[in-house]
Amino acid sequence: MSERRFTRRGALAAGAGGLLVSACDRLNESPAVRGLLEQADALHMPAQRLITPQGALAREFSESQMSPVFRANGNTAPNDPAFLRHAASGFAQWGLQVDGLVRAPLALPLAALQAMPQRTQITRHDCVEGWSAIGKWQGPQLGAVLALAGLLPAARYAVFHCADRFGTTPYYESIDLTDAFHPQTILAWRMNDRPLPLAHGAPLRLRAEKQLGYKQAKFVMRIELTSTLAGLYGGKGGYWEDHSGYQWYAGI
Ligand SMILES: Nc1nc2c(c(=O)[nH]1)N[C@H]1C(S)=C(S)[C@@H](COP(=O)(O)O)O[C@H]1N2
Ligand SMILES: [Mo]
């Protein structure tokens, strides 16, 4: 009897372990990563992830190390009329859309994002133009938001659609699911202990701390889960990737 119980418990433990392992494997070997091997800059990404294991955290800093001035870069004020109406009312009627390859498309008001468990992190932002700044960011983890929507098995990328444009071309960015579920990847609505200023991407911006500045999409209106980046705009996964040859995988 006792031997049988032991065996059964052993089997249960092995079963639970198996589940955990297969959950990790699914992410590590997810189509997100495999799909990248088809990308032009695939050489950079595996090398980066060998040097910095994908679970590793970006460095975090103390309050005393925060930059006295954090410059705003790129677009600092979208001129889209719908966005301006939302801004005028403090984004009270605004909602973040989460759609594409999800089980339950969402429209999440700012209050809902603020009511979720929050992560606060003081990190260094590195812009390819050659400047850096250390700032504090707060918001729910992107992974928790995606879990609310529930990903369909074909989902490989999270695409961030922004309210601003360069000329007539909207700003957008994308990351794979490994970065999307990284603990320091958050949807920030607070910066330096205050609501996110307009110039820094109000009402909501991405902070994916393992990536360069241009990946940190500001003015995020919609997150679309896709299986490929090919059908979107220039097909390279981001505004600057499409227009300047910046790498899609901007790991630091
Ligand atoms: N929507 C949007 N996001 C954007 C940009 C932009 O022009 N539009 N510029 C990017 C670049 S190049 C940088 S360095 C950072 C600047 O963020 P900051 O204005 O908070 O400094 O935002 C990134 N995200
Ligand atoms: Mo940048």
Side-chain angles (χ1 to χ4, degrees), residues 70-76 78 125-129 131 133 137 161-166 171-173 191 196 198-201 205-207 212-220 239-240 246:
F70 196 121
R71 90 182 232 194
N73 203 40
N75 281 329
T76 51
H125 175 104
D126 292 303
C127 174
V128 280
E129 291 164 19
W131 59 274
W137 306 98
H161 295 281
C162 305
D164 58 312
R165 297 162 182 269
F166 283 101
Y171 199 94
Y172 79 105
E173 258 303 339
M191 175 191 188
L196 187 62
L198 184 67
H200 292 285
R205 65 110 38 99
L206 176 67
R207 290 302 313 175
L212 284 170
Y214 60 89
K215 303 294 290 187
Q216 319 296 330
K218 307 195 282 187
F219 320 110
V220 175
Y239 176 82
W240 288 115
Y246 286 4

Side-chain angles (χ1 to χ4, degrees), residues 1-12:
M1 179 64 190
S2 72
E3 193 178 332
R4 257 171 88 185
R5 214 185 304 149
F6 172 81
T7 304
R8 187 165 171 270
R9 255 209 315 245
L12 276 178

Side-chain angles (χ1 to χ4, degrees), residues 108-179:
L108 289 170
L110 208 46
L113 294 159
Q114 292 165 342
M116 293 177 70
Q118 302 288 297
R119 193 177 203 284
T120 302
Q121 54 204 26
I122 302 176
T123 52
R124 195 185 64 214
H125 175 104
D126 292 303
C127 174
V128 280
E129 291 164 19
W131 59 274
S132 306
I134 295 174
K136 188 197 278 191
W137 306 98
Q138 183 193 314
Q141 289 175 315
L142 174 61
V145 172
L146 297 183
L148 277 181
L151 300 193
L152 292 175
R156 296 180 178 195
Y157 303 100
V159 179
F160 303 85
H161 295 281
C162 305
D164 58 312
R165 297 162 182 269
F166 283 101
T168 56
T169 312
Y171 199 94
Y172 79 105
E173 258 303 339
S174 60
I175 58 178
D176 66 21
L177 294 188
T178 300
D179 277 332

